[in-house]
Amino acid sequence: MVLYKLADFEPNYRDSFEGQDINGLGVYTQGSDEKIGSVTDVLVDEEGHFRYLVVDLGFWIFGKKVLLPIGRARIDYNVDRVYTIGLNRQQAESLPEFNERQTLDYDYEEQVRGVYRQPTDYTPPVEASTPVDALAPLDTPTLTPTPTPTPTYTRDDYTYEREPSLFGLNEQENQTLKLYEERLIASKRREKTGEVSIGKRVETDTARIAIPIERERVVIERVTPADAGTAVSGREADFREGEVARIEIHEETPDVRKEAFLREEVRVKKVVDQETVETQETVRREELDVNSGNLPIEER
């Protein structure tokens, strides 16, 4: 069983007590109204149930802090007091000192509970069925009834509920009516609304390019010389059969090849747009209905 300080367990605990704080309240003995100290802290269990009040016994034992089970305390906010039930000075001296730096284990709590289990006074009960005239005379030996033995507990089976005298609240003196209300709790849930797929595809196009080329051709010109018709000697007139003139003809042909070039870059990223959406829902709240008839009621 792990215990926590109230402020560590619930920092806003004062909101549950309408701003009232138990820390600092004076602690008095019930009946005699003798002040014995003050409350310095409250210890709660894992579920937030009050289990102990930390009491500084400065008026009884200077500098000593002890634990007071909540079932042995009665809180009265009307006079800002805490009254102890059945705690005497002898028990206070027997209680182990509380140190915030020490671990509150089962053994330590058993020392505390063991002190409070000791009866401060014990009056043997008289059987209701025994007639008054049947009681033994003063000179007749009588048997003293044996007190009911205190139950034994072990580390494995102990629960606070088994000792209501130490940890149960007095319902007649501490009646609590809890009023609940509903509140809207805003949270966000991340959902996938779609998907954008970005890829590449290859498209084909017909590209045209103009290339100037050169072609050679043979032009045969026949001209009449100025001395046409003039007789020539036999030596000049060289008649040879099969004489051929050869001329090479060239032309250019287009040579087209393809090269790849970087055209552009496409950068893909996500941006987050923020907006505020409003929603409404019907919530319930409990209000106090007081039916007192003609009795005066003071509401604080």
Side-chain angles (χ1 to χ4, degrees):
M1 291 174 285
V2 182
L3 296 175
Y4 305 90
K5 290 185 178 180
L6 180 58
D8 296 338
F9 185 85
E10 177 51 66
N12 300 321
Y13 71 91
R14 293 179 182 85
D15 297 341
S16 303
F17 296 94
E18 300 179 351
Q20 295 175 328
D21 196 350
I22 191 173
N23 288 339
L25 295 184
V27 181
Y28 295 78
T29 58
Q30 190 176 40
S32 64
D33 277 358
E34 178 186 1
K35 187 172 184 179
I36 65 175
S38 59
V39 178
T40 62
D41 220 323
V42 180
L43 302 183
V44 299
D45 61 12
E46 297 96 329
E47 298 179 354
H49 297 139
F50 282 25
R51 294 308 181 191
Y52 297 98
L53 302 182
V54 181
V55 179
D56 186 343
L57 297 175
F59 284 79
W60 264 2
I61 307 173
F62 180 75
K64 183 176 183 179
K65 292 183 179 180
V66 298
L67 296 185
L68 175 64
I70 193 64
R72 293 296 180 91
R74 181 173 66 86
I75 304 171
D76 190 346
Y77 284 111
N78 295 324
V79 292
D80 291 336
R81 288 185 176 186
V82 175
Y83 292 98
T84 63
I85 302 174
L87 176 65
N88 57 33
R89 187 163 188 148
Q90 180 182 358
Q91 286 179 315
E93 293 174 349
S94 301
L95 284 170
E97 186 171 359
F98 171 76
N99 189 333
E100 296 182 357
R101 292 186 295 271
Q102 76 181 84
T103 303
L104 300 183
D105 54 11
Y106 175 82
D107 295 332
Y108 175 84
E109 286 192 69
E110 268 299 293
Q111 294 181 42
V112 175
R113 293 190 288 257
V115 173
Y116 287 103
R117 290 174 188 143
Q118 298 174 7
T120 57
D121 54 353
Y122 179 74
T123 302
V126 178
E127 291 292 339
S129 59
T130 304
V132 177
D133 56 1
L135 295 176
L138 294 178
D139 57 350
T140 303
T142 58
L143 296 178
T144 302
T146 303
T148 304
T150 303
T152 57
Y153 306 97
T154 64
R155 185 187 306 269
D156 297 329
D157 64 4
Y158 183 82
T159 61
Y160 294 114
E161 288 73 16
R162 295 187 60 182
E163 290 193 278
S165 62
L166 297 184
F167 301 102
L169 290 176
N170 189 320
E171 296 183 357
Q172 293 181 354
E173 298 177 347
N174 298 276
Q175 296 188 26
T176 302
L177 181 63
K178 296 182 179 180
L179 303 180
Y180 296 91
E181 69 175 4
E182 294 177 329
R183 298 179 182 178
L184 294 181
I185 306 300
S187 62
K188 296 186 291 185
R189 182 175 62 253
R190 191 177 182 89
E191 296 181 347
K192 180 179 178 180
T193 57
E195 184 177 83
V196 177
S197 178
I198 301 175
K200 297 193 300 183
R201 70 177 186 275
V202 179
E203 293 185 352
T204 59
D205 232 347
T206 301
R208 290 179 173 81
I209 185 171
I211 304 175
I213 60 174
E214 293 181 351
R215 289 191 180 95
E216 296 178 343
R217 59 191 177 88
V218 177
V219 179
I220 300 175
E221 295 182 353
R222 293 185 178 188
V223 296
T224 302
D227 55 351
T230 302
V232 295
S233 63
R235 287 182 300 192
E236 283 185 69
D238 186 9
F239 292 94
R240 288 180 294 179
E241 185 178 356
E243 185 177 0
V244 177
R246 298 180 180 276
I247 300 177
E248 292 183 353
I249 305 299
H250 299 87
E251 72 173 16
E252 295 176 334
T253 58
D255 182 12
V256 181
R257 59 188 177 86
K258 295 184 288 186
E259 289 186 4
F261 295 89
L262 178 62
R263 180 166 61 92
E264 64 176 332
E265 287 184 351
V266 178
R267 296 178 180 177
V268 181
K269 63 179 181 179
K270 295 192 301 183
V271 295
V272 178
D273 296 327
Q274 292 187 344
E275 62 177 330
T276 301
V277 296
E278 292 186 359
T279 183
Q280 62 182 22
E281 186 62 57
T282 302
V283 295
R284 298 173 296 173
R285 182 177 64 252
E286 294 179 337
E287 295 289 351
L288 193 61
D289 240 349
V290 179
N291 184 7
S292 61
N294 296 325
L295 297 176
I297 297 294
E298 180 181 357
E299 186 172 340
R300 295 176 178 265

